[in-house]
Coordinates of all heavy atoms in Angstrom, one line a residue:
R183 N -4.5 -1.0 10.5 CA -3.0 -1.1 10.6 C -2.3 0.1 9.8 O -1.1 0.1 9.8 CB -2.5 -2.4 10.1 CG -3.1 -3.6 10.9 CD -2.6 -4.9 10.4 NE -3.3 -6.0 11.0 CZ -3.2 -7.3 10.7 NH1 -2.4 -7.6 9.7 NH2 -3.9 -8.2 11.3
R184 N -3.1 1.0 9.3 CA -2.5 2.1 8.5 C -1.7 3.0 9.5 O -2.2 3.2 10.6 CB -3.6 2.8 7.8 CG -3.1 3.8 6.7 CD -2.4 3.1 5.7 NE -2.6 3.7 4.3 CZ -1.8 3.6 3.3 NH1 -0.6 3.1 3.5 NH2 -2.1 4.0 2.1
G185 N -0.6 3.6 9.0 CA 0.1 4.5 9.8 C -0.7 5.8 10.1 O -1.5 6.2 9.3
L186 N -0.4 6.4 11.2 CA -1.2 7.6 11.6 C -0.9 8.8 10.8 O -1.6 9.8 10.8 CB -0.8 7.9 13.1 CG -1.4 7.0 14.2 CD1 -0.8 7.3 15.5 CD2 -2.9 7.0 14.2
E187 N 0.2 8.7 9.9 CA 0.5 9.9 9.1 C -0.4 9.9 7.8 O -0.5 10.9 7.1 CB 1.9 9.8 8.6 CG 2.3 8.7 7.7 CD 2.7 7.4 8.4 OE1 2.3 7.2 9.6 OE2 3.5 6.6 7.8
F188 N -1.1 8.8 7.5 CA -2.0 8.7 6.4 C -3.4 9.3 6.8 O -3.9 9.1 7.9 CB -2.2 7.3 5.9 CG -0.9 6.8 5.3 CD1 0.1 6.1 6.1 CD2 -0.7 6.9 3.9 CE1 1.2 5.7 5.5 CE2 0.5 6.4 3.3 CZ 1.5 5.8 4.1
V189 N -4.0 10.0 5.8 CA -5.1 10.9 6.2 C -6.3 10.1 6.7 O -7.0 10.5 7.7 CB -5.6 11.8 5.0 CG1 -6.2 10.9 3.9 CG2 -6.5 12.8 5.5
T190 N -6.6 8.9 6.2 CA -7.8 8.1 6.7 C -7.6 7.7 8.1 O -8.5 7.9 9.0 CB -8.0 6.9 5.8 OG1 -6.8 6.2 5.7 CG2 -8.6 7.2 4.5
R191 N -6.4 7.2 8.4 CA -6.1 6.8 9.8 C -6.0 8.0 10.7 O -6.4 7.9 11.9 CB -4.9 5.9 9.9 CG -4.5 5.4 11.2 CD -5.5 4.3 11.7 NE -5.4 4.0 13.1 CZ -4.4 3.5 13.8 NH1 -3.3 3.2 13.1 NH2 -4.4 3.4 15.1
K192 N -5.5 9.1 10.2 CA -5.4 10.3 11.0 C -6.8 10.7 11.4 O -7.1 11.1 12.6 CB -4.7 11.4 10.2 CG -4.6 12.7 10.9 CD -3.9 13.8 10.0 CE -3.9 15.1 10.7 NZ -3.2 16.1 9.8
I193 N -7.7 10.6 10.5 CA -9.1 11.0 10.8 C -9.8 10.0 11.8 O -10.4 10.5 12.8 CB -9.9 11.1 9.5 CG1 -9.4 12.3 8.6 CG2 -11.4 11.2 9.7 CD1 -9.9 12.2 7.2
T194 N -9.7 8.7 11.5 CA -10.4 7.8 12.4 C -9.8 7.8 13.8 O -10.5 7.7 14.8 CB -10.3 6.4 11.9 OG1 -9.0 5.9 11.8 CG2 -11.0 6.3 10.5
W195 N -8.4 8.0 13.9 CA -7.8 8.0 15.2 C -8.2 9.3 16.0 O -8.5 9.2 17.2 CB -6.3 8.0 15.0 CG -5.5 7.9 16.3 CD1 -5.1 6.8 16.9 CD2 -5.1 9.0 17.2 NE1 -4.4 7.0 18.1 CE2 -4.4 8.4 18.3 CE3 -5.3 10.4 17.2 CZ2 -3.9 9.1 19.3 CZ3 -4.7 11.1 18.2 CH2 -4.1 10.5 19.3
H196 N -8.3 10.4 15.3 CA -8.7 11.7 16.0 C -10.2 11.6 16.4 O -10.6 12.2 17.4 CB -8.4 12.9 15.1 CG -7.0 13.4 15.2 ND1 -5.9 12.8 14.6 CD2 -6.5 14.4 16.0 CE1 -4.8 13.4 14.9 NE2 -5.1 14.4 15.8
A197 N -11.0 11.0 15.5 CA -12.4 10.9 15.9 C -12.6 10.1 17.2 O -13.3 10.5 18.1 CB -13.2 10.2 14.8
A198 N -11.8 9.0 17.3 CA -11.8 8.2 18.5 C -11.2 9.0 19.7 O -11.8 8.9 20.8 CB -11.1 6.9 18.3
A199 N -10.1 9.7 19.4 CA -9.4 10.4 20.5 C -10.3 11.6 21.0 O -10.4 11.8 22.2 CB -8.1 11.0 20.0
I200 N -11.0 12.3 20.1 CA -11.9 13.3 20.6 C -13.1 12.7 21.3 O -13.5 13.3 22.4 CB -12.4 14.1 19.3 CG1 -11.3 14.9 18.7 CG2 -13.6 15.1 19.7 CD1 -11.6 15.5 17.4
K201 N -13.6 11.6 20.9 CA -14.7 11.0 21.6 C -14.3 10.6 23.0 O -15.1 10.8 24.0 CB -15.2 9.7 20.8 CG -16.3 8.9 21.5 CD -17.6 9.7 21.6 CE -18.7 8.8 22.1 NZ -20.0 9.6 22.2
H202 N -13.1 10.1 23.2 CA -12.6 9.7 24.5 C -12.0 10.9 25.3 O -11.4 10.6 26.4 CB -11.6 8.6 24.4 CG -12.2 7.3 23.9 ND1 -13.3 6.8 24.5 CD2 -11.7 6.4 23.0 CE1 -13.6 5.6 23.9 NE2 -12.7 5.3 23.0
G203 N -12.1 12.1 24.8 CA -11.5 13.3 25.5 C -10.0 13.4 25.5 O -9.5 14.1 26.3
K204 N -9.4 12.7 24.6 CA -7.9 12.7 24.6 C -7.4 13.8 23.6 O -6.2 14.2 23.7 CB -7.3 11.4 24.1 CG -7.6 10.2 25.1 CD -7.1 8.9 24.6 CE -7.5 7.8 25.5 NZ -6.7 7.8 26.7
R205 N -8.2 14.3 22.7 CA -7.9 15.4 21.8 C -9.2 16.2 21.6 O -10.3 15.8 21.9 CB -7.5 14.8 20.4 CG -6.2 14.1 20.4 CD -5.0 15.0 20.5 NE -3.8 14.4 20.2 CZ -3.1 13.6 21.0 NH1 -3.6 13.4 22.2 NH2 -1.9 13.0 20.6
D206 N -9.0 17.5 21.1 CA -10.2 18.3 20.9 C -10.2 18.8 19.5 O -11.3 19.4 19.1 CB -10.2 19.5 21.9 CG -9.0 20.3 21.9 OD1 -8.1 20.2 21.0 OD2 -8.8 21.1 22.8
R207 N -9.2 18.7 18.7 CA -9.2 19.2 17.3 C -8.5 18.2 16.4 O -7.7 17.4 16.7 CB -8.4 20.5 17.2 CG -8.6 21.6 18.2 CD -10.1 22.1 18.2 NE -10.5 22.7 16.9 CZ -11.7 22.9 16.6 NH1 -12.7 22.6 17.4 NH2 -12.0 23.5 15.4
L208 N -9.0 18.3 15.1 CA -8.4 17.6 14.0 C -8.0 18.6 12.9 O -8.8 19.4 12.5 CB -9.4 16.6 13.4 CG -9.1 15.9 12.0 CD1 -7.8 15.1 12.1 CD2 -10.2 15.1 11.6
V209 N -6.7 18.6 12.5 CA -6.2 19.6 11.6 C -5.9 18.9 10.3 O -5.2 17.9 10.2 CB -4.9 20.3 12.1 CG1 -4.5 21.3 11.1 CG2 -5.2 20.9 13.4
L210 N -6.6 19.4 9.2 CA -6.4 18.7 7.8 C -6.1 19.8 6.8 O -6.1 21.0 7.1 CB -7.7 18.0 7.5 CG -8.2 16.8 8.3 CD1 -9.6 16.4 8.0 CD2 -7.2 15.7 8.1
G211 N -5.8 19.3 5.6 CA -5.5 20.2 4.5 C -6.7 20.3 3.5 O -7.6 21.1 3.7
N212 N -6.6 19.6 2.4 CA -7.6 19.7 1.4 C -8.8 18.7 1.6 O -8.7 17.5 1.4 CB -7.0 19.4 0.0 CG -7.9 19.6 -1.2 OD1 -9.1 20.0 -1.0 ND2 -7.5 19.2 -2.3
L213 N -9.9 19.2 2.0 CA -11.1 18.3 2.3 C -11.7 17.8 1.0 O -12.5 16.9 1.0 CB -12.1 19.1 3.1 CG -11.8 19.5 4.5 CD1 -12.9 20.2 5.2 CD2 -11.4 18.2 5.4
D214 N -11.4 18.5 -0.1 CA -12.1 18.1 -1.4 C -11.3 17.1 -2.2 O -11.7 16.6 -3.2 CB -12.3 19.4 -2.3 CG -13.3 20.3 -1.6 OD1 -14.3 19.9 -1.1 OD2 -13.0 21.5 -1.6
A215 N -10.1 16.7 -1.7 CA -9.3 15.7 -2.4 C -10.1 14.4 -2.5 O -10.6 14.0 -1.4 CB -8.0 15.5 -1.8
A216 N -10.2 13.8 -3.7 CA -11.0 12.6 -3.8 C -10.1 11.4 -4.2 O -9.2 11.6 -5.0 CB -12.1 12.8 -4.9

Side-chain angles (χ1 to χ4, degrees):
R183 299 180 191 175
R184 193 58 141 155
L186 289 172
E187 69 271 25
F188 291 88
V189 69
T190 50
R191 182 73 197 291
K192 178 180 178 179
I193 290 167
T194 63
W195 188 93
H196 275 82
I200 291 169
K201 178 66 175 180
H202 289 317
K204 296 176 183 289
R205 292 286 192 280
D206 56 13
R207 310 300 298 167
L208 166 61
V209 183
L210 295 169
N212 182 9
L213 293 179
D214 296 316

